[in-house]
Amino acid sequence: MDKKSIQPSSRSLSPSTLLSLTIPLILGFLIYQYTYSGPFLPLSCQLFQLNCPKASDTLVGFVDPEFSKVKNIFIKNIESGSEVGASVTIYYNDKIVVDLTGGIADLGTGRIYDKNTLQLVFSSTKVLSSLIVARFVERGILNYDEKISTYWPEFAQGNKENVTLSHLMTHSAGVGWFDTYLTKTSDLLDLDSFSKILEVQPHNFGGKPTRSYHACTRGYYLNEIIRRVDSKHRTIGQIVREEIMPTYDIEFYYSTPEDIYETRVAQIYSYPILRLLAKLILPEWMIINPIHQLFLKMFDFRTFTYKTLVTSCPDQAQPKDWNKKHMVKVEGPSYNGITNTHSMAKLAAMMANNAKPLPENQGIEPPLLNDNTLKKFLERDTTEFDISIFENITMSKGGIGFFRFDGIDYDFLGWGGAGGSLLLWNEELKIGFAYCMNAFHTALKGDERSLTMLKETVDTVLRLKNN
C-alpha cells in the first residue's frame, strides 16, 4: 500500500483550530436567537427553545367566533414573549365580544394573570379622571372656560392668573413640571401642604398657553380643584370609590388597599436593559418596535421631557419601582389607577353608547354624562405639537385624545398609559376597547401587541357591517 494513502491529510484541522472556528459560530447563533426572540421570554427559551410559555396553560375567557383572530393575536403575544401577563376586553354593539386574560401576573410566585388580576395602567387613568371633572361641569360646579383661580384664588401667581380649566385638561396650562422641586410620594399624603407647592410653581412658559404634556401634574392640580369645589372636599379617588365603582360595578382604585395590592395586583416588568440599549444604539430600520424619541430625552436632565416625566413624578420612579406598595397607596389621578380591562372596557363601551348605560343595565345604572355635557366633553380643541412628548395631539375640551392609528381609518377616543395600556372607543363603530399588561414596552400610544388586536377588531366590524 502506498504510504501516502495512510498519512493524515495536511488539510486536517487541529482540535484548537476547530474550537476557534466553532465558538464564534455558537456565539453568533446564540446572539441571533437572543436578538430575534421575544423580549420577555425566559433566557432558556430565547437561546435554546426550552421552557417556553404556552398560552394554553393560562388562557381563559370568552371570544365571539367572529372575532377569533383577535384571540390568535393575543395567544401569539404571550407565546412570542411580547407579554408576561395581559388582558384584553372588547365591546361591539354594546356587548362583550372578546374578554381574555393570560400569562403570569407574578413570576416570583407563579400567580396566573386571570380575571381576578388588577393592573396599574398609568396614564390610562386620565380618562376616568377627566370623566369625574366632566360630572362636576354637568352639575354647574365647574366650567371648562373658567379661570382656575376662580375656584382656587392662590393659584393666580407666577403668571398663572389666566389659566383656565380647559387649559389644564388639554395639557396647555403651563404647569407640566416643577422648576426646582422633586416630587416625593410622601408629599402626597398631606394634600393641604402639597397645595402650597402647586400654588407657587410659576407658569412654565410665562403665561402663554403651550401644549406640553402634564404627565403627572395634571392629576395633582385637578385633585386640588376638585377638593375645593366638592361639598365633602373629597379627592378624585374618593369620588370614584363612592360614586363610580358601586354605581357601575367596576373596580378602579386610585388608592389601592393593602390586601388587594398583596393578592391581586400584577407585578410590572421593565423592558430588558440589553434590548433597550440596542434600541438606543441600532438604526431604526433594524428594530421591530423602535424606541420613541421621548425615551431618549428622558436621559437628559435639561429637557422638558425629563422635567415632565421624571422629576415631577413621585420619587422619580422607574417602571420596576411601581412594584412597591407605598407607590400606589397615595393618589395620583393622572397615573396610578389600578383596574382591569373588564372595568375599562365597560367605561369605553358606555362612552361609545353616548355615555349612556348599556342596554342590559338600562334602568339600573344612570348615564355617565348627559347629552349636553357629553357634547362639551368631546368638543375638539386644537391639534398641536406637544413639545414634551414630540407628538401632534388632538385633544377634546374635556381632556381626552383623538387618535388615528396606522391602518385604521377611524378616530378612536380615549388615552393610553406608559408601557402599553389603552382605553379607547369609537362611537360610529360602537367599539369599546381596553388592554392592559405587566410587560413594560417602550412605545407611546400602544404598540403592536394591542394595535394589531384593535385593527383586527375594526376589520371584523367593518366586514360584519358590510355583510
Side-chain angles (χ1 to χ4, degrees):
M1 182 180 293
D2 190 344
K3 290 184 178 181
K4 289 184 179 180
S5 64
I6 61 174
Q7 290 179 349
S9 170
S10 60
R11 295 183 179 180
S12 297
L13 299 177
S14 67
S16 61
T17 303
L18 282 171
L19 190 62
S20 67
L21 292 173
T22 303
I23 289 177
L25 288 173
I26 293 174
L27 288 176
F29 172 77
L30 294 178
I31 291 172
Y32 176 87
Q33 288 287 93
Y34 177 79
T35 301
Y36 290 97
S37 61
F40 292 94
L41 288 173
L43 188 60
S44 60
C45 181
Q46 294 182 39
L47 299 182
F48 307 111
Q49 296 296 300
L50 298 174
N51 302 316
C52 297
K54 294 181 180 179
S56 58
D57 293 339
T58 59
L59 184 69
V60 296
F62 161 79
V63 178
D64 185 286
E66 297 284 359
F67 293 83
S68 60
K69 289 184 179 180
V70 175
K71 178 180 178 180
N72 295 339
I73 296 168
F74 188 78
I75 290 172
K76 181 181 177 182
N77 287 343
I78 294 174
E79 295 188 342
S80 69
S82 294
E83 305 282 23
V84 177
S87 178
V88 60
T89 305
I90 304 170
Y91 279 78
Y92 168 55
N93 269 348
D94 304 323
K95 295 182 180 179
I96 294 177
V97 293
V98 177
D99 192 25
L100 295 170
T101 63
I104 305 298
D106 188 336
L107 292 172
T109 64
R111 176 161 52 92
I112 301 298
Y113 204 110
D114 59 18
K115 297 296 182 187
N116 196 49
T117 302
L118 297 171
Q119 181 70 61
L120 176 62
V121 296
F122 291 102
S123 284
S124 291
T125 309
K126 288 181 171 70
V127 176
L128 182 52
S129 296
S130 297
L131 289 171
I132 295 301
V133 174
R135 288 161 71 89
F136 276 76
V137 171
E138 183 169 301
R139 297 167 192 166
I141 299 172
L142 291 175
N143 185 319
Y144 289 126
D145 296 322
E146 189 60 75
K147 295 177 182 179
I148 292 175
S149 59
T150 300
Y151 314 113
W152 180 4
E154 297 84 356
F155 178 85
Q157 53 183 302
N159 293 313
K160 302 196 303 296
E161 60 273 8
N162 292 320
V163 174
T164 66
L165 178 59
S166 180
H167 287 142
L168 184 58
M169 301 310 296
T170 60
H171 304 274
S172 303
V175 287
W177 68 78
F178 299 120
D179 290 322
T180 59
Y181 167 72
L182 293 177
T183 309
K184 306 180 191 69
T185 305
S186 57
D187 292 334
L188 303 178
L189 294 170
D190 185 348
L191 294 182
D192 289 334
S193 295
F194 190 55
S195 68
K196 309 302 181 187
I197 295 171
L198 301 178
E199 293 165 4
V200 300
Q201 168 59 39
H203 196 288
N204 297 147
F205 306 101
K208 180 182 178 182
T210 303
R211 182 67 53 79
S212 182
Y213 190 43
H214 292 37
C216 294
T217 56
R218 193 182 84 157
Y220 303 153
Y221 282 94
L222 285 179
N223 229 9
E224 185 60 25
I225 293 168
I226 292 297
R227 286 202 318 139
R228 286 169 176 264
V229 301
D230 179 60
S231 61
K232 301 177 184 177
H233 306 295
R234 295 171 296 176
T235 63
I236 291 175
Q238 289 169 337
I239 293 167
V240 168
R241 187 174 66 242
E242 295 174 14
E243 296 185 6
I244 301 297
M245 289 174 59
T247 303
Y248 300 101
D249 189 27
I250 68 170
E251 287 192 280
F252 213 121
Y253 300 97
Y254 282 61
S255 178
T256 306
E258 186 168 335
D259 60 329
I260 288 177
Y261 173 82
E262 296 287 354
T263 59
R264 297 181 58 196
V265 177
Q267 292 287 292
I268 293 172
Y269 295 96
S270 300
Y271 202 83
I273 187 64
L274 286 178
R275 293 177 181 273
L276 182 59
L277 290 174
K279 288 192 174 194
L280 293 171
I281 296 170
L282 294 175
E284 187 171 311
W285 62 268
M286 293 182 64
I287 305 169
I288 296 175
N289 283 312
I291 192 169
H292 194 282
Q293 62 176 313
L294 80 84
F295 289 94
L296 302 175
K297 300 294 184 181
M298 286 178 66
F299 293 96
D300 185 348
F301 68 91
R302 298 166 296 181
T303 63
F304 297 156
T305 307
Y306 182 87
K307 295 175 182 178
T308 297
L309 296 174
V310 180
T311 63
S312 300
C313 293
D315 296 345
Q316 297 69 63
Q318 299 301 308
K320 61 181 176 60
D321 297 328
W322 288 92
N323 291 322
K324 302 170 184 176
K325 61 185 176 183
H326 77 275
M327 295 292 293
V328 295
K329 285 194 70 174
V330 293
E331 284 191 32
S334 274
Y335 58 80
N336 83 330
I338 286 186
T339 182
N340 52 37
T341 58
H342 201 273
S343 298
M344 290 197 295
K346 182 175 181 181
L347 289 173
M350 291 181 69
M351 293 305 294
N353 192 39
N354 294 311
K356 294 178 173 58
L358 302 177
E360 63 185 20
N361 296 315
Q362 288 182 1
I364 302 172
E365 298 176 354
L368 281 167
L369 305 173
N370 66 30
D371 291 342
N372 289 335
T373 307
L374 180 64
K375 184 177 180 179
K376 293 177 186 177
F377 181 76
L378 297 180
E379 181 182 330
R380 281 183 183 250
D381 195 71
T382 55
T383 299
E384 295 181 33
F385 183 76
D386 191 297
I387 64 174
S388 291
I389 59 175
F390 308 99
E391 289 277 346
N392 284 307
I393 302 292
T394 303
M395 296 295 304
S396 82
K397 200 165 193 174
I400 51 100
F402 292 79
F403 300 106
R404 182 65 64 97
F405 300 106
D406 289 344
I408 302 175
D409 293 328
Y410 292 85
D411 282 342
F412 273 82
L413 287 66
W415 207 255
S421 69
L422 288 174
L423 196 170
L424 301 168
W425 67 89
N426 177 279
E427 187 272 336
E428 181 180 352
L429 299 179
K430 293 297 291 287
I431 293 173
F433 182 92
Y435 165 80
C436 66
M437 69 302 128
N438 60 358
F440 197 97
H441 280 233
T442 57
L444 181 61
K445 297 180 296 185
D447 53 61
E448 65 172 0
R449 296 172 295 174
S450 56
L451 296 181
T452 306
M453 290 189 286
L454 180 61
K455 184 178 184 303
E456 178 58 40
T457 300
V458 172
D459 290 346
T460 301
V461 167
L462 292 176
R463 187 174 65 251
L464 293 172
K465 283 180 171 289
N466 291 329
N467 286 341

